[in-house]
Amino acid sequence: MRFTVAIDGPAAAGKGTISRAVAARFGFAHLDTGALYRAVGVKGGDPVEAARALCPADLARDDLRTGAAGQAASKVAAIPEVRAALVQFQREFARREGGAVLDGRDIGTVICPDAEVKLFVTASPEVRAHRRWQELGGDEREVLADVRERDARDMGRADAPLRPADDALVLDTTDMSVEAAVAAACDLIEARLG
């Protein structure tokens, strides 16, 4: 069985948490596509060459979940040649036997426009910044500024900007518990699996 779940949304909206839970619930493979861009960003050097040479060891680095890696990912993701180098990997993963969940920023719009389920997970910038601050620490006002800066860059880039697919279900997690958000996503997927 091939079944693709595309989950998009801005930083710290909850898409990674929901994606991992959905993958575990249905026995699907999971790919955090942001990790690809984080790995390219932290490798340094020429980002296009880094994307072309990406290997599994690069995705196992300990420093991929840092704030610096997130900012680096947002910058290299704006480079069309980097995006092009990573598209085929993501598409092959998405159509693997047994089902797949991919989370990112352009999964439902660019990578898997024919996904069986598309979710766009969002939350207010203030709530997302608070979540990121709880995860990483630092000055909460600076984290909010970083979230807003990243949103502007991700939504404003010319190639594959962050936006919900026309047929995506928008899931606003601003006032939702993790459990409620996961349940809403699972209900939709179960209905489509039918």
Side-chain angles (χ1 to χ4, degrees), residues 104-186:
R105 301 227 174 5
D106 65 346
I107 308 305
T109 55
V110 175
I111 303 300
C112 302
D114 297 325
E116 284 76 12
V117 174
K118 296 177 195 171
L119 293 174
F120 189 85
V121 180
T122 191
S124 73
E126 294 77 14
V127 166
R128 291 185 293 114
H130 185 72
R131 290 173 184 166
R132 186 52 48 93
W133 171 75
Q134 287 179 311
E135 180 185 352
L136 301 175
D139 181 325
E140 193 167 358
R141 288 170 301 177
E142 287 179 19
V143 175
L144 177 58
D146 287 347
V147 162
R148 287 188 168 137
E149 176 187 327
R150 187 165 179 189
D151 285 352
R153 190 167 46 241
D154 291 346
M155 292 174 190
R157 65 182 177 226
D159 189 30
L162 170 64
R163 65 175 179 80
D166 293 338
D167 56 345
L169 171 70
V170 176
L171 187 60
D172 188 329
T173 65
T174 299
D175 297 314
M176 293 181 89
S177 68
V178 171
E179 296 77 16
V182 168
C186 288

Coordinates of all heavy atoms in Angstrom, one line a residue, residues 104-186:
G104 N 7.0 19.3 6.6 CA 7.9 20.3 6.2 C 7.1 21.6 5.9 O 6.2 22.0 6.6
R105 N 7.5 22.3 4.8 CA 6.9 23.6 4.5 C 6.3 23.6 3.1 O 5.4 24.4 2.8 CB 8.0 24.7 4.5 CG 8.6 24.8 5.9 CD 8.7 26.1 6.4 NE 9.1 26.3 7.8 CZ 9.6 25.5 8.7 NH1 9.7 24.2 8.4 NH2 9.9 25.9 9.9
D106 N 6.6 22.6 2.3 CA 6.1 22.6 0.9 C 5.7 21.2 0.5 O 5.7 20.9 -0.7 CB 7.1 23.2 -0.1 CG 8.4 22.4 -0.2 OD1 8.6 21.5 0.6 OD2 9.1 22.6 -1.2
I107 N 5.4 20.3 1.4 CA 5.1 18.9 1.1 C 3.8 18.8 0.3 O 3.7 18.2 -0.8 CB 5.0 18.1 2.3 CG1 6.3 18.2 3.2 CG2 4.8 16.6 1.9 CD1 7.6 18.0 2.5
G108 N 2.7 19.4 0.7 CA 1.4 19.4 0.1 C 1.3 20.2 -1.2 O 0.5 19.9 -2.1
T109 N 2.2 21.2 -1.3 CA 2.1 22.1 -2.4 C 3.1 21.8 -3.5 O 2.8 22.0 -4.7 CB 2.4 23.6 -2.0 OG1 3.6 23.7 -1.3 CG2 1.3 24.1 -1.1
V110 N 4.3 21.3 -3.2 CA 5.3 21.0 -4.2 C 5.8 19.6 -4.2 O 5.8 19.0 -5.3 CB 6.5 22.0 -4.0 CG1 7.7 21.6 -4.9 CG2 6.1 23.4 -4.1
I111 N 6.2 19.0 -3.1 CA 6.8 17.7 -3.1 C 5.7 16.6 -3.4 O 6.0 15.7 -4.2 CB 7.4 17.4 -1.7 CG1 8.5 18.5 -1.4 CG2 8.1 16.0 -1.7 CD1 9.6 18.6 -2.4
C112 N 4.6 16.7 -2.7 CA 3.6 15.6 -2.9 C 2.2 16.3 -3.1 O 1.3 16.1 -2.3 CB 3.5 14.7 -1.6 SG 5.1 13.9 -1.2
P113 N 2.0 16.9 -4.2 CA 0.7 17.6 -4.5 C -0.4 16.6 -4.6 O -1.6 17.0 -4.4 CB 0.9 18.4 -5.8 CG 2.1 17.7 -6.4 CD 2.9 17.2 -5.3
D114 N -0.1 15.3 -4.8 CA -1.2 14.3 -4.9 C -1.3 13.4 -3.6 O -1.9 12.3 -3.7 CB -0.9 13.4 -6.1 CG -1.0 14.1 -7.4 OD1 -1.8 15.0 -7.5 OD2 -0.2 13.8 -8.3
A115 N -0.7 13.9 -2.5 CA -0.8 13.2 -1.3 C -2.3 12.9 -0.9 O -3.2 13.7 -1.2 CB -0.2 14.0 -0.1
E116 N -2.5 11.7 -0.3 CA -3.9 11.3 0.0 C -4.4 12.2 1.2 O -5.6 12.4 1.2 CB -3.9 9.8 0.5 CG -3.8 8.9 -0.7 CD -2.4 8.7 -1.3 OE1 -1.4 9.2 -0.8 OE2 -2.4 8.1 -2.4
V117 N -3.6 12.7 2.1 CA -4.0 13.6 3.1 C -3.0 14.7 3.2 O -1.8 14.5 3.2 CB -4.0 12.8 4.5 CG1 -4.3 13.8 5.6 CG2 -5.0 11.7 4.5
K118 N -3.5 15.9 3.3 CA -2.7 17.1 3.5 C -3.2 17.9 4.7 O -4.4 18.2 4.8 CB -2.8 18.0 2.2 CG -2.2 17.4 1.0 CD -2.4 18.3 -0.2 CE -2.3 17.5 -1.5 NZ -2.7 18.3 -2.6
L119 N -2.3 18.2 5.6 CA -2.6 19.0 6.8 C -1.7 20.2 6.7 O -0.5 20.1 6.4 CB -2.3 18.2 8.0 CG -3.2 17.0 8.4 CD1 -2.7 16.3 9.6 CD2 -4.6 17.5 8.6
F120 N -2.2 21.4 7.2 CA -1.4 22.5 7.4 C -1.6 22.9 8.9 O -2.6 23.3 9.3 CB -1.8 23.7 6.5 CG -0.9 24.9 6.6 CD1 0.2 24.9 5.7 CD2 -1.1 25.9 7.5 CE1 1.1 26.0 5.8 CE2 -0.2 27.0 7.5 CZ 0.9 27.0 6.7
V121 N -0.5 22.7 9.7 CA -0.5 22.9 11.1 C 0.0 24.2 11.4 O 1.1 24.6 11.0 CB 0.3 21.8 11.8 CG1 0.2 22.0 13.3 CG2 -0.3 20.4 11.5
T122 N -0.7 25.1 12.1 CA -0.3 26.4 12.4 C -0.6 26.8 13.9 O -1.3 26.0 14.6 CB -0.9 27.4 11.4 OG1 -0.2 28.7 11.6 CG2 -2.4 27.6 11.6
A123 N -0.1 27.9 14.3 CA -0.4 28.5 15.6 C 0.0 29.9 15.6 O 0.8 30.3 14.7 CB 0.2 27.7 16.8
S124 N -0.4 30.7 16.5 CA 0.0 32.1 16.5 C 1.5 32.2 16.7 O 2.1 31.3 17.4 CB -0.7 32.9 17.7 OG -0.1 32.5 18.9
P125 N 2.1 33.3 16.2 CA 3.6 33.4 16.4 C 4.0 33.4 17.9 O 5.0 32.9 18.2 CB 3.9 34.8 15.7 CG 2.8 35.0 14.7 CD 1.6 34.3 15.3
E126 N 3.2 34.1 18.7 CA 3.5 34.1 20.1 C 3.5 32.8 20.8 O 4.4 32.4 21.6 CB 2.5 35.0 20.9 CG 2.5 36.5 20.4 CD 1.9 36.8 19.1 OE1 1.1 36.0 18.6 OE2 2.1 37.9 18.5
V127 N 2.5 31.9 20.5 CA 2.5 30.6 21.0 C 3.7 29.7 20.5 O 4.3 29.0 21.2 CB 1.1 29.9 20.7 CG1 1.2 28.4 21.0 CG2 0.0 30.6 21.6
R128 N 3.9 29.9 19.2 CA 5.0 29.1 18.6 C 6.4 29.5 19.2 O 7.2 28.7 19.5 CB 5.0 29.3 17.1 CG 3.8 28.6 16.5 CD 3.9 28.6 15.0 NE 3.7 29.9 14.4 CZ 4.6 30.5 13.7 NH1 5.8 30.0 13.4 NH2 4.3 31.7 13.2
A129 N 6.5 30.8 19.4 CA 7.8 31.3 20.0 C 7.9 30.8 21.5 O 9.0 30.4 21.9 CB 7.8 32.9 20.0
H130 N 6.8 30.8 22.2 CA 6.9 30.3 23.6 C 7.3 28.8 23.6 O 8.1 28.4 24.4 CB 5.5 30.5 24.3 CG 5.5 30.1 25.7 ND1 6.2 30.9 26.7 CD2 5.0 29.1 26.4 CE1 6.0 30.3 27.8 NE2 5.3 29.2 27.7
R131 N 6.7 28.0 22.7 CA 7.1 26.6 22.6 C 8.5 26.5 22.3 O 9.2 25.6 22.9 CB 6.2 25.9 21.5 CG 4.8 25.8 21.8 CD 4.0 25.2 20.6 NE 2.6 25.2 20.9 CZ 1.7 25.0 20.0 NH1 2.0 24.9 18.7 NH2 0.4 25.0 20.3
R132 N 9.0 27.2 21.3 CA 10.4 27.1 20.9 C 11.3 27.6 22.1 O 12.4 27.0 22.3 CB 10.7 28.0 19.6 CG 12.0 27.9 19.0 CD 12.6 26.6 18.7 NE 11.7 25.7 18.0 CZ 11.6 25.5 16.7 NH1 12.3 26.2 15.9 NH2 10.8 24.6 16.2
W133 N 10.9 28.6 22.8 CA 11.7 29.1 23.9 C 11.7 28.0 25.0 O 12.8 27.8 25.6 CB 11.0 30.4 24.5 CG 11.6 30.8 25.8 CD1 12.8 31.4 26.0 CD2 11.0 30.7 27.1 NE1 13.0 31.7 27.3 CE2 11.9 31.2 28.0 CE3 9.8 30.1 27.5 CZ2 11.6 31.2 29.4 CZ3 9.5 30.2 28.9 CH2 10.4 30.7 29.8
Q134 N 10.6 27.3 25.3 CA 10.6 26.2 26.2 C 11.6 25.1 25.8 O 12.2 24.5 26.7 CB 9.2 25.7 26.4 CG 8.3 26.6 27.2 CD 6.9 26.0 27.3 OE1 6.3 25.6 26.4 NE2 6.4 26.0 28.6
E135 N 11.7 24.9 24.5 CA 12.5 23.8 24.0 C 14.0 24.2 24.0 O 14.9 23.4 24.4 CB 12.1 23.5 22.5 CG 12.9 22.5 21.8 CD 12.5 22.3 20.4 OE1 11.5 23.0 19.9 OE2 13.2 21.6 19.7
L136 N 14.3 25.5 23.7 CA 15.7 25.9 23.5 C 16.2 26.9 24.5 O 17.5 27.0 24.6 CB 15.9 26.5 22.1 CG 15.5 25.7 20.9 CD1 15.6 26.5 19.6 CD2 16.4 24.5 20.8
G137 N 15.3 27.6 25.2 CA 15.8 28.6 26.2 C 16.1 29.9 25.5 O 15.8 30.1 24.4
G138 N 16.9 30.7 26.3 CA 17.3 32.0 25.7 C 16.3 33.1 26.1 O 15.6 32.9 27.1
D139 N 16.3 34.2 25.4 CA 15.5 35.3 25.6 C 14.2 35.1 24.8 O 14.3 35.1 23.6 CB 16.2 36.6 25.2 CG 15.4 37.9 25.5 OD1 14.1 37.8 25.3 OD2 15.9 38.9 25.8
E140 N 13.0 35.1 25.5 CA 11.8 34.8 24.8 C 11.5 35.8 23.7 O 10.9 35.5 22.7 CB 10.6 34.6 25.7 CG 9.4 34.0 25.1 CD 8.4 33.5 26.1 OE1 8.6 33.6 27.3 OE2 7.3 33.0 25.6
R141 N 11.8 37.1 24.0 CA 11.5 38.1 23.0 C 12.4 37.9 21.7 O 11.9 38.2 20.6 CB 11.8 39.5 23.6 CG 10.7 39.9 24.6 CD 11.1 41.2 25.3 NE 12.4 40.8 26.0 CZ 13.1 41.7 26.7 NH1 12.7 42.9 26.9 NH2 14.3 41.3 27.3
E142 N 13.6 37.5 21.9 CA 14.5 37.2 20.8 C 13.9 36.0 20.0 O 14.0 36.0 18.8 CB 15.9 37.0 21.2 CG 16.6 38.2 21.6 CD 18.0 38.0 22.1 OE1 18.6 36.9 21.7 OE2 18.6 38.8 22.8
V143 N 13.4 35.0 20.7 CA 12.9 33.8 20.0 C 11.7 34.2 19.2 O 11.5 33.8 18.0 CB 12.5 32.7 21.0 CG1 11.8 31.6 20.4 CG2 13.7 32.3 21.8
L144 N 10.8 35.1 19.7 CA 9.7 35.6 19.0 C 10.1 36.4 17.7 O 9.6 36.2 16.6 CB 8.8 36.5 19.8 CG 7.6 37.1 19.1 CD1 6.7 36.1 18.5 CD2 6.8 38.0 20.1
A145 N 11.2 37.2 17.9 CA 11.7 37.9 16.7 C 12.2 37.0 15.7 O 12.0 37.1 14.4 CB 12.8 38.9 17.1
D146 N 12.9 35.9 16.1 CA 13.4 34.9 15.2 C 12.3 34.1 14.5 O 12.4 33.9 13.3 CB 14.3 33.9 15.9 CG 15.7 34.4 16.4 OD1 16.0 35.5 15.9 OD2 16.3 33.8 17.2
V147 N 11.2 33.8 15.2 CA 10.1 33.1 14.6 C 9.5 34.0 13.5 O 9.2 33.5 12.4 CB 9.1 32.7 15.7 CG1 7.7 32.4 15.1 CG2 9.6 31.6 16.5
R148 N 9.3 35.3 13.8 CA 8.7 36.2 12.8 C 9.6 36.4 11.6 O 9.1 36.4 10.5 CB 8.4 37.5 13.5 CG 7.2 37.4 14.4 CD 6.7 38.8 14.9 NE 5.4 38.7 15.6 CZ 5.1 39.3 16.7 NH1 6.0 40.1 17.3 NH2 3.9 39.1 17.2
E149 N 10.9 36.5 11.9 CA 11.9 36.6 10.8 C 11.8 35.4 9.9 O 11.8 35.4 8.6 CB 13.3 36.8 11.3 CG 14.4 36.9 10.3 CD 15.7 36.9 10.9 OE1 15.9 37.5 12.0 OE2 16.7 36.4 10.4
R150 N 11.8 34.2 10.5 CA 11.8 32.9 9.7 C 10.5 32.8 9.0 O 10.5 32.4 7.8 CB 12.0 31.8 10.7 CG 12.1 30.5 10.0 CD 12.7 29.4 10.8 NE 12.8 28.2 10.1 CZ 13.0 27.0 10.6 NH1 13.3 26.9 11.9 NH2 13.1 25.9 9.8
D151 N 9.4 33.1 9.6 CA 8.1 33.1 8.9 C 8.1 34.0 7.6 O 7.7 33.6 6.5 CB 6.9 33.6 9.8 CG 6.5 32.6 10.8 OD1 7.0 31.5 10.8 OD2 5.7 33.0 11.7
A152 N 8.6 35.2 7.8 CA 8.7 36.1 6.6 C 9.6 35.5 5.5 O 9.2 35.6 4.3 CB 9.3 37.5 7.1
R153 N 10.7 34.9 5.9 CA 11.6 34.4 4.9 C 10.9 33.1 4.2 O 11.0 33.0 3.0 CB 12.9 34.0 5.6 CG 14.0 33.6 4.6 CD 15.4 33.5 5.2 NE 15.4 32.8 6.5 CZ 15.8 33.3 7.6 NH1 16.2 34.6 7.7 NH2 15.8 32.6 8.7
D154 N 10.3 32.3 5.0 CA 9.7 31.0 4.5 C 8.5 31.3 3.6 O 8.3 30.7 2.6 CB 9.3 30.1 5.6 CG 10.5 29.5 6.4 OD1 11.6 29.6 5.8 OD2 10.3 28.9 7.4
M155 N 7.7 32.3 4.0 CA 6.5 32.7 3.3 C 6.8 33.6 2.1 O 6.0 33.6 1.1 CB 5.5 33.4 4.2 CG 4.9 32.5 5.3 SD 3.8 33.4 6.4 CE 3.6 32.2 7.7
G156 N 7.9 34.3 2.1 CA 8.2 35.2 1.1 C 9.2 34.7 0.0 O 9.4 35.4 -1.0
R157 N 9.7 33.5 0.2 CA 10.7 33.0 -0.8 C 10.0 32.8 -2.1 O 8.8 32.4 -2.2 CB 11.4 31.8 -0.3 CG 10.6 30.6 -0.1 CD 11.5 29.4 0.4 NE 10.6 28.3 0.7 CZ 10.6 27.6 1.8 NH1 11.5 27.8 2.8 NH2 9.8 26.5 1.9
A158 N 10.7 33.0 -3.2 CA 10.1 32.8 -4.6 C 9.9 31.4 -4.9 O 8.9 31.0 -5.5 CB 11.1 33.4 -5.6
D159 N 10.7 30.5 -4.4 CA 10.6 29.0 -4.7 C 9.9 28.3 -3.6 O 10.5 28.3 -2.5 CB 12.0 28.5 -5.0 CG 11.9 27.1 -5.6 OD1 11.0 26.7 -6.3 OD2 12.9 26.3 -5.3
A160 N 8.8 27.7 -3.8 CA 8.0 26.9 -2.9 C 7.8 27.6 -1.5 O 8.2 27.2 -0.5 CB 8.8 25.6 -2.6
P161 N 7.1 28.8 -1.6 CA 6.9 29.5 -0.3 C 5.9 28.7 0.6 O 5.2 27.8 0.2 CB 6.2 30.8 -0.7 CG 5.5 30.4 -2.1 CD 6.5 29.4 -2.7
L162 N 6.1 28.9 1.9 CA 5.2 28.3 2.9 C 3.8 28.8 2.8 O 3.6 30.0 2.9 CB 5.7 28.6 4.3 CG 4.8 28.2 5.5 CD1 4.7 26.7 5.5 CD2 5.4 28.7 6.8
R163 N 2.9 27.9 2.5 CA 1.5 28.2 2.4 C 0.7 26.9 2.4 O 1.2 25.9 2.0 CB 1.1 29.0 1.2 CG 1.3 28.3 -0.1 CD 0.8 29.1 -1.3 NE 1.1 28.4 -2.6 CZ 0.3 27.4 -3.0 NH1 -0.8 27.0 -2.4 NH2 0.6 26.8 -4.2
P164 N -0.6 26.9 2.9 CA -1.3 25.7 2.8 C -1.7 25.3 1.4 O -2.0 26.2 0.6 CB -2.6 26.0 3.7 CG -2.6 27.5 3.8 CD -1.3 28.0 3.5
A165 N -1.7 24.0 1.1 CA -2.2 23.6 -0.2 C -3.7 23.9 -0.2 O -4.4 24.0 0.8 CB -2.0 22.1 -0.3
D166 N -4.3 24.1 -1.4 CA -5.7 24.5 -1.6 C -6.6 23.5 -0.9 O -7.7 23.8 -0.5 CB -6.0 24.7 -3.1 CG -5.3 25.9 -3.7 OD1 -4.9 26.8 -3.0 OD2 -5.1 25.9 -4.9
D167 N -6.2 22.2 -1.0 CA -7.1 21.1 -0.4 C -6.6 20.6 0.9 O -7.0 19.6 1.4 CB -7.2 20.0 -1.4 CG -5.8 19.4 -1.8 OD1 -4.8 20.1 -1.6 OD2 -5.8 18.3 -2.4
A168 N -5.7 21.4 1.6 CA -5.3 21.0 2.9 C -6.2 21.4 4.0 O -6.9 22.4 4.0 CB -3.9 21.6 3.3
L169 N -6.3 20.5 5.0 CA -7.1 20.8 6.2 C -6.2 21.7 7.1 O -5.1 21.3 7.4 CB -7.5 19.6 7.0 CG -8.1 19.8 8.4 CD1 -9.5 20.5 8.3 CD2 -8.2 18.5 9.2
V170 N -6.6 22.9 7.5 CA -5.8 23.7 8.4 C -6.1 23.4 9.8 O -7.3 23.4 10.2 CB -6.1 25.2 8.1 CG1 -5.3 26.1 9.1 CG2 -5.7 25.6 6.7
L171 N -5.1 23.0 10.6 CA -5.2 22.6 12.0 C -4.5 23.7 12.8 O -3.3 23.7 12.8 CB -4.6 21.2 12.2 CG -4.8 20.5 13.5 CD1 -6.3 20.3 13.8 CD2 -4.1 19.2 13.5
D172 N -5.2 24.6 13.5 CA -4.6 25.6 14.3 C -4.5 25.1 15.7 O -5.5 24.8 16.4 CB -5.5 26.9 14.3 CG -4.9 28.0 15.0 OD1 -4.1 27.9 15.9 OD2 -5.1 29.2 14.6
T173 N -3.2 24.9 16.1 CA -2.9 24.3 17.5 C -2.7 25.3 18.6 O -2.3 25.0 19.7 CB -1.7 23.4 17.4 OG1 -0.6 24.2 17.1 CG2 -1.9 22.3 16.3
T174 N -3.0 26.6 18.3 CA -2.8 27.7 19.3 C -3.4 27.3 20.6 O -2.7 27.4 21.6 CB -3.4 29.0 18.8 OG1 -2.7 29.4 17.6 CG2 -3.2 30.1 19.8
D175 N -4.7 26.8 20.6 CA -5.3 26.5 21.9 C -5.6 25.0 22.0 O -6.5 24.6 22.8 CB -6.7 27.3 21.9 CG -6.4 28.8 22.0 OD1 -5.6 29.3 22.7 OD2 -7.1 29.5 21.2
M176 N -4.9 24.2 21.3 CA -5.1 22.8 21.4 C -4.0 22.1 22.2 O -2.8 22.5 22.1 CB -5.1 22.1 20.0 CG -6.2 22.6 19.1 SD -6.1 21.7 17.5 CE -7.0 20.2 17.8
S177 N -4.4 21.0 22.9 CA -3.4 20.2 23.5 C -2.8 19.3 22.4 O -3.3 19.1 21.3 CB -4.1 19.3 24.6 OG -4.9 18.3 23.9
V178 N -1.6 18.7 22.7 CA -1.0 17.8 21.8 C -1.9 16.7 21.5 O -2.1 16.3 20.3 CB 0.4 17.3 22.4 CG1 1.0 16.2 21.5 CG2 1.4 18.4 22.6
E179 N -2.5 16.1 22.5 CA -3.4 15.0 22.3 C -4.6 15.3 21.4 O -4.9 14.5 20.5 CB -4.0 14.5 23.7 CG -2.9 14.0 24.6 CD -2.1 15.0 25.3 OE1 -2.5 16.2 25.3 OE2 -1.0 14.7 25.8
A180 N -5.2 16.5 21.5 CA -6.3 16.9 20.7 C -5.8 17.1 19.2 O -6.6 16.7 18.3 CB -6.9 18.2 21.2
A181 N -4.7 17.7 19.0 CA -4.1 17.9 17.7 C -3.9 16.6 17.0 O -4.2 16.4 15.8 CB -2.9 18.8 17.7
V182 N -3.2 15.6 17.7 CA -2.9 14.3 17.2 C -4.2 13.6 16.9 O -4.4 13.0 15.8 CB -2.0 13.5 18.1 CG1 -2.0 12.0 17.7 CG2 -0.7 14.1 18.2
A183 N -5.2 13.6 17.7 CA -6.5 13.0 17.5 C -7.2 13.5 16.3 O -7.7 12.7 15.5 CB -7.4 13.1 18.7
A184 N -7.2 14.8 16.1 CA -7.8 15.4 14.9 C -7.1 14.9 13.6 O -7.8 14.6 12.6 CB -7.7 17.0 15.0
A185 N -5.8 14.9 13.6 CA -5.0 14.4 12.5 C -5.3 12.9 12.2 O -5.6 12.5 11.0 CB -3.5 14.6 12.7
C186 N -5.4 12.1 13.2 CA -5.6 10.7 13.1 C -7.0 10.4 12.6 O -7.3 9.5 11.7 CB -5.4 10.0 14.4 SG -3.6 9.8 14.8

